[in-house]
Amino acid sequence: MKINQLMTVMLTGMVGLSALTANAQSDSTKVIKHKKINVSLSFGDKEDSVKKAEAPKGRFMGGITFTRLDLGFSRLIDNGSFSLSPKNKFLDYRGIKTSTVSFDVLYFGYRFNPKFKVYIAGGFDWTLIRLKNNITIQRNTPDLTYVEDPVNFSKNRFSSSYVHIPLNFEFRTKENDKGKRFYLVLGPEVSFLLNGMVKQISSERGKQKFRDDYDFQPVRVGGTVRIGYGGIGLFTKYYFNDMFDSVSQKGLKNMSFGITFGLN
């Protein structure tokens, strides 16, 4: 499926679900039940309340959401090593400023019982690599190439953005006296490339942005594990296929880890 078609499907779903949730109040969640299907507009850990009895029967659920916000760090793995090989040394990056951001905007699933549910989601994912070297990654090339620049970049960021579709298996404990519970969420994920971007800032050239696919994988496959308590947790993601669709970068993969907000 092409990206524009995928986005059309997602937007159509959002419009349809918006119609179902048009009467949502200003509080965090409004639940509409019809024929045992639970549709909600949610922001964070508000799917169930400690004041609400645990439902023993299974039920469908879905809706527009802003949950599972992942903020963390990204790392490149060069054929099993965190050290880049000579052919990939031009991608040397500043670890503390190389980050990832992702979140879900749609979900649909089935809760089998109060402790287990399965759901598929849709959202967006960014990987932001802060390059150390004064180089410019080239656009419209058959392979990932670069040129060295005679300027000193105060920022030289190389990034990718994807639409991601995770399939999550969620296990959770019973609520405690504070209305909190522990979570374990894991599952595979497929992502579709939107675009790549180089953003540079220098005194000589000012601020510049260049967009291209930059040989990023058009389809990325990975897996995610999250553990948490209440609405906050930790996550790690690993992508099984190569980061770039180029011969020279064969075996170069990426992973990320950090904090998750809005577990539910």
Side-chain angles (χ1 to χ4, degrees):
M1 181 181 290
K2 294 183 179 179
I3 294 301
N4 58 351
Q5 294 174 329
L6 180 65
M7 293 299 294
T8 300
V9 171
M10 290 185 67
L11 289 173
T12 301
M14 290 176 67
V15 171
L17 288 168
S18 296
L20 292 175
T21 57
N23 295 321
Q25 299 174 352
S26 59
D27 55 350
S28 60
T29 305
K30 179 176 180 181
V31 178
I32 302 173
K33 292 185 178 179
H34 180 64
K35 295 183 180 180
K36 298 183 180 179
I37 297 179
N38 189 44
V39 182
S40 65
L41 172 64
S42 61
F43 299 89
D45 187 28
K46 296 294 183 181
E47 180 190 300
D48 297 297
S49 170
V50 70
K51 298 179 181 179
K52 182 179 177 181
E54 297 278 7
K57 297 182 180 180
R59 66 187 188 278
F60 288 99
M61 57 189 61
I64 300 173
T65 185
F66 183 71
T67 50
R68 291 169 293 280
L69 170 63
D70 295 333
L71 301 175
F73 301 101
S74 291
R75 293 292 181 267
L76 304 189
I77 304 175
D78 195 339
N79 290 281
S81 173
F82 285 102
S83 299
L84 295 175
S85 61
K87 66 180 179 180
N88 290 322
K89 198 64 178 177
F90 69 97
L91 290 171
D92 200 10
Y93 57 93
R94 303 181 188 277
I96 196 66
K97 294 184 177 181
T98 294
S99 59
T100 184
V101 180
S102 70
F103 57 86
D104 293 341
V105 295
L106 294 170
Y107 81 103
F108 181 80
Y110 186 81
R111 179 170 295 289
F112 292 86
N113 56 56
K115 296 182 179 180
F116 177 65
K117 74 176 179 180
V118 177
Y119 58 95
I120 189 170
F124 300 94
D125 185 292
W126 291 266
T127 298
L128 311 168
I129 303 171
R130 189 70 171 267
L131 298 174
K132 285 184 178 180
N133 302 316
N134 294 317
I135 63 170
T136 298
I137 309 294
Q138 297 297 284
R139 294 181 291 176
N140 303 316
T141 58
D143 211 349
L144 190 64
T145 59
Y146 70 97
V147 295
E148 296 184 357
D149 286 291
V151 299
N152 184 31
F153 294 114
S154 59
K155 175 182 286 188
N156 191 6
R157 193 174 71 191
F158 184 35
S159 62
S160 63
S161 59
Y162 284 82
V163 171
H164 71 190
I165 304 176
L167 173 63
N168 290 323
F169 300 86
E170 180 186 291
F171 305 85
R172 64 183 190 174
T173 64
K174 187 177 180 180
E175 286 184 345
N176 59 23
D177 294 338
K178 298 180 180 180
K180 303 294 184 180
R181 63 176 93 231
F182 289 95
Y183 291 87
L184 170 63
V185 185
L186 53 89
E189 170 182 305
V190 61
S191 304
F192 301 90
L193 181 67
L194 291 174
N195 59 49
M197 186 173 73
V198 169
K199 180 178 180 180
Q200 298 173 327
I201 299 177
S202 65
S203 58
E204 294 89 346
R205 300 175 182 175
K207 182 185 295 185
Q208 295 178 300
K209 291 182 181 180
F210 309 99
R211 288 181 172 84
D212 191 58
D213 63 16
Y214 289 109
D215 291 300
F216 283 108
Q217 282 287 357
V219 179
R220 188 176 65 181
V221 179
T224 304
V225 176
R226 295 182 179 91
I227 57 173
Y229 174 71
I232 301 177
L234 301 175
F235 79 90
T236 183
K237 295 182 181 180
Y238 180 78
Y239 301 103
F240 304 118
N241 53 343
D242 292 345
M243 189 174 185
F244 298 98
D245 187 18
S246 58
V247 176
S248 299
Q249 280 66 52
K250 185 175 179 58
L252 184 65
K253 305 179 187 296
N254 68 315
M255 66 167 294
S256 59
F257 56 93
I259 300 176
T260 293
F261 299 93
L263 278 173
N264 66 3

